[in-house]
Amino acid sequence: MTEPIFDVQRLGYKNGSNQILQGITVQIEKGANLTIAGPSGSGKSTFLRVLATLLTPTEGVVKFAGKKQSTYPKPVYRQQVSYCFQQPTLFGETVRDNLQFPFEIRNQKFDQNKALAGLDSVELKAEMLDQPIIELSGGEKQRVALVRNLLFKPQVLLLDEISAGLDVDTKGVVHRLIQSYRESGVTVLSVTHDESEIAAADDLLRIRDGKIEVPAHE
Amino acid sequence: MNNLIVSPTALAFAVILVVIALAINLKEKIGLERDMIIGVIRAVIQLTVVGYVLTYIIRVNRVWLTGLMVAIIIFNAALNANKRANGIPHAFVISLLAIATATLITILLLVVAGAVRFTPSQIVPISGMIASNAMVAIGLAYRSMNTSFHDQRQGVLERLALGANLKQASKHIVQMAIRTGMAPTIDSAKTVGIVSLPGMMSGLIFAGVDPTKAIMYQIMVTFMLLAATSIGSVIACYLAYPRYYNSDMQLSDRNGSKQQ
Ligand SMILES: Nc1ncnc2c1ncn2[C@@H]1O[C@H](COP(=O)(O)OP(=O)(O)OP(=O)(O)O)[C@@H](O)[C@H]1O
Ligand SMILES: [Mg+2]
């Protein structure tokens, strides 16, 4: 067996006196396609944020590719373990500002063709590049945010309900895009409430009250 | 310099001006009467004391005494800027460093250029002018940073999640803060002479100095304040922005909104 990409041991996360995650132990293989489900408020987003180092666990350890999270420089780690927010916000003035940013933080020159290809991959038009972000619809914003995470291929994608609120066709577009990243070796963890996505899951992890739910019988 | 006469009686009559301000305040229920009275009393006491202190310092003309006076001015300016920081950790030390550097560099350049001489009668008032302008600029910059980090919290989180370092995640906020801090100085540089006749220049002309000389001094003051406020706000902002994050490169909860 190869080394898991994530090795999570007795993970706990507490905010003040509020125990949000508790005793989570799980190994996730490289290249896995894990679906995470569970009731609202059960701690799914918190779990992904801990994996992304956007929150620091208060108990337990998370190892990424065999080494503790804390041994990686945060920017390097976060570029490899890319978290897509549940309700993403675009920043700056235009779509371009958002797609430029991933280049900027890598000290690279903005590659407009790459950005346009990204927009095209989620069926957004090239003209959108210079559109003010306030003019975008919710679903368009969501897709621009996804492109922003995908301009540079990460090792892991943490998707927090990214297709919630999209129509069936657009969902299909997003699913196919994610599928193509999976096929190129990206590990994908996606949180969802969508019954059809849960039914189609390769691997399913259910979280309830901050713990992994063990199936009663199976 | 003798045509400048404000006698104590004349000053007592000037109290009428304060009474007018107070009356407006009371009538319009603005609620600033307490602050106004405190302000007036403090101004009278502080200025009286400083008047005697300055007379003494100028008369004995000792370098260490001049230095001490400048240090006190800088210290007080930092204390005041710190009040505007609204809880930014280490804001006092940051303000002190920023104001001290801004004041000392500017004065050094002025002395080297021969624009002012190193005598208490020139160094002390100029330090006061520089330090107070730097203080206001830094206070405004702090406020702007606090507001932006609060209002644009989600945007900063997104940038961090994309793998930005602290500088990259805060760049737009820092730029905005520096701009806000410098705005009053730049505006007054643009309107000096058209809208405002600044205190120093008016004072000199008032006191009977040749207007062209007074104006040359004012030009120097304008330049020096531009330099001082930019040095001060840049240093303060660059030292302050990392304080909004914890050691794991996450936004601290300190400024508020719990939801994300
Ligand atoms: N910053 C925070 N401070 C305090 N409590 C928080 C914070 N973030 C989340 N929580 C709490 O932690 C719990 C889990 O939140 P989380 O966002 O992980 O749930 P979730 O499973 O993603 O829910 P949903 O399906 O609604 O997105 C909730 O009770 C929430 O109120
Ligand atoms: Mg969630």
Side-chain angles (χ1 to χ4, degrees):
Chain A
M1 195 184 92
T2 55
E3 189 172 53
I5 195 155
F6 282 117
D7 182 4
V8 181
Q9 295 290 338
R10 293 182 310 283
L11 167 73
Y13 180 76
K14 207 171 173 177
N15 189 306
S17 61
N18 185 4
Q19 186 81 43
I20 300 172
L21 295 175
Q22 203 176 352
I24 293 195
T25 296
V26 63
Q27 278 84 41
I28 297 162
E29 298 305 320
K30 190 163 167 22
N33 180 27
L34 180 67
T35 303
I36 300 173
S40 183
S42 56
K44 306 179 297 296
S45 297
T46 308
F47 181 53
L48 291 194
R49 284 180 190 191
V50 169
L51 293 183
T53 71
L54 299 174
L55 293 173
T56 305
T58 46
E59 296 149 56
V61 276
V62 178
K63 283 186 182 167
F64 173 68
K67 288 194 289 178
K68 281 191 189 169
Q69 276 180 324
S70 54
T71 59
Y72 296 91
K74 293 285 180 298
V76 173
Y77 183 98
R78 290 169 184 167
Q79 287 173 19
Q80 291 308 320
V81 181
S82 191
Y83 175 67
C84 306
F85 281 82
Q86 186 167 357
Q87 274 155 358
T89 320
L90 300 183
F91 44 69
E93 304 289 330
T94 62
V95 170
R96 183 188 291 270
D97 292 334
N98 287 270
L99 301 187
Q100 223 159 23
F101 195 71
F103 291 93
E104 199 181 307
I105 60 180
R106 290 169 176 82
N107 296 315
Q108 289 189 20
K109 218 171 117 307
F110 179 55
D111 179 347
Q112 176 147 332
N113 292 328
K114 199 172 174 183
L116 291 177
L119 288 177
D120 188 57
S121 71
V122 289
E123 296 194 339
L124 293 175
K125 293 202 185 67
E127 296 84 74
M128 192 165 275
L129 192 60
D130 287 305
Q131 202 163 335
I133 54 172
I134 46 165
E135 290 178 6
L136 269 56
S137 77
E140 286 166 345
K141 281 185 190 150
Q142 255 172 307
R143 283 179 279 162
V144 170
L146 183 63
V147 172
R148 199 171 60 183
N149 283 73
L150 292 178
L151 280 172
F152 293 85
K153 193 173 91 176
Q155 291 185 47
V156 180
L157 262 177
L158 305 173
L159 307 174
D160 202 346
E161 300 192 38
I162 54 151
S163 59
L166 297 180
D167 64 67
V168 181
D169 290 345
T170 321
K171 261 186 199 181
V173 169
V174 169
H175 285 158
R176 281 194 292 282
L177 177 66
I178 301 300
Q179 181 63 23
S180 72
Y181 275 84
R182 272 204 53 226
E183 281 162 8
S184 69
V186 177
T187 307
V188 178
L189 276 66
S190 32
V191 165
T192 184
H193 287 291
D194 185 315
E195 285 306 330
S196 63
E197 288 179 18
I198 295 174
D202 295 344
D203 276 308
L204 184 66
L205 185 75
R206 283 190 187 272
I207 296 186
R208 181 181 289 274
D209 295 333
K211 299 186 196 108
I212 293 181
E213 192 176 54
V214 186
H217 49 80
E218 208 170 336
Chain B
M1 286 261 197
N2 288 334
N3 39 6
L4 179 70
I5 302 159
V6 182
S7 67
T9 352
L11 264 186
F13 274 110
V15 168
I16 295 172
L17 298 173
V18 178
V19 174
I20 293 174
L22 267 177
I24 292 174
N25 225 280
L26 282 172
K27 181 148 186 302
E28 300 295 324
K29 300 196 172 55
I30 297 169
L32 286 176
E33 14 351 296
R34 218 181 92 90
D35 282 328
M36 210 182 262
I37 291 172
I38 293 176
V40 167
I41 294 174
R42 279 188 62 159
V44 170
I45 295 175
Q46 283 164 200
L47 289 175
T48 309
V49 171
V50 140
Y52 283 105
V53 170
L54 273 182
T55 311
Y56 176 75
I57 291 177
I58 289 169
R59 188 156 45 86
V60 300
N61 192 5
R62 290 278 145 73
V63 173
W64 72 268
L65 209 55
T66 310
L68 180 69
M69 190 65 196
V70 172
I72 292 174
I73 289 173
I74 292 173
F75 183 87
N76 282 329
L79 268 186
N80 241 295
N82 181 41
K83 281 187 202 147
R84 290 294 186 86
N86 215 337
I88 301 172
H90 308 294
F92 173 69
V93 178
I94 292 172
S95 313
L96 192 62
L97 255 166
I99 295 173
T101 314
T103 311
L104 297 182
I105 288 183
T106 317
I107 290 211
L108 186 77
L109 285 175
L110 290 174
V111 171
V112 168
V116 299
R117 277 179 298 125
F118 196 88
T119 58
S121 63
Q122 300 202 352
I123 294 295
V124 175
I126 285 189
S127 308
M129 221 176 329
I130 296 173
S132 79
N133 277 273
M135 170 187 90
V136 171
I138 292 170
L140 288 172
Y142 284 157
R143 184 181 290 187
S144 157
M145 257 202 281
N146 274 327
T147 313
S148 302
F149 270 109
H150 181 268
D151 294 353
Q152 299 174 35
R153 189 175 173 81
Q154 184 60 27
V156 175
L157 291 173
E158 299 268 0
R159 288 176 168 91
L160 291 173
L162 289 168
N165 61 30
L166 300 189
K167 190 173 174 191
Q168 293 159 340
S170 328
K171 197 178 94 185
H172 61 296
I173 290 179
V174 170
Q175 285 171 342
M176 178 70 178
I178 294 173
R179 227 176 281 144
T180 308
M182 292 202 60
T185 313
I186 292 175
D187 282 349
S188 75
K190 282 192 208 149
T191 56
V192 67
I194 313 177
V195 179
S196 65
L197 293 179
M200 180 170 177
M201 185 174 94
S202 312
L204 287 172
I205 296 174
F206 221 73
V209 171
D210 177 358
T212 43
K213 286 206 177 110
I215 282 165
M216 265 154 64
Y217 250 90
Q218 190 55 48
I219 291 174
M220 183 194 82
V221 167
T222 305
F223 290 177
M224 108 195 161
L225 293 184
L226 276 173
T229 50
S230 38
I231 296 170
S233 4
V234 166
I235 294 178
C237 289
Y238 275 93
L239 292 177
Y241 82 79
R243 310 280 159 210
Y244 288 85
Y245 301 89
N246 65 22
S247 58
D248 285 335
M249 295 179 89
Q250 298 155 355
L251 263 183
S252 312
D253 288 336
R254 201 181 57 79
N255 347 257
S257 66
K258 279 278 177 194
Q259 73 273 13
Q260 286 292 346

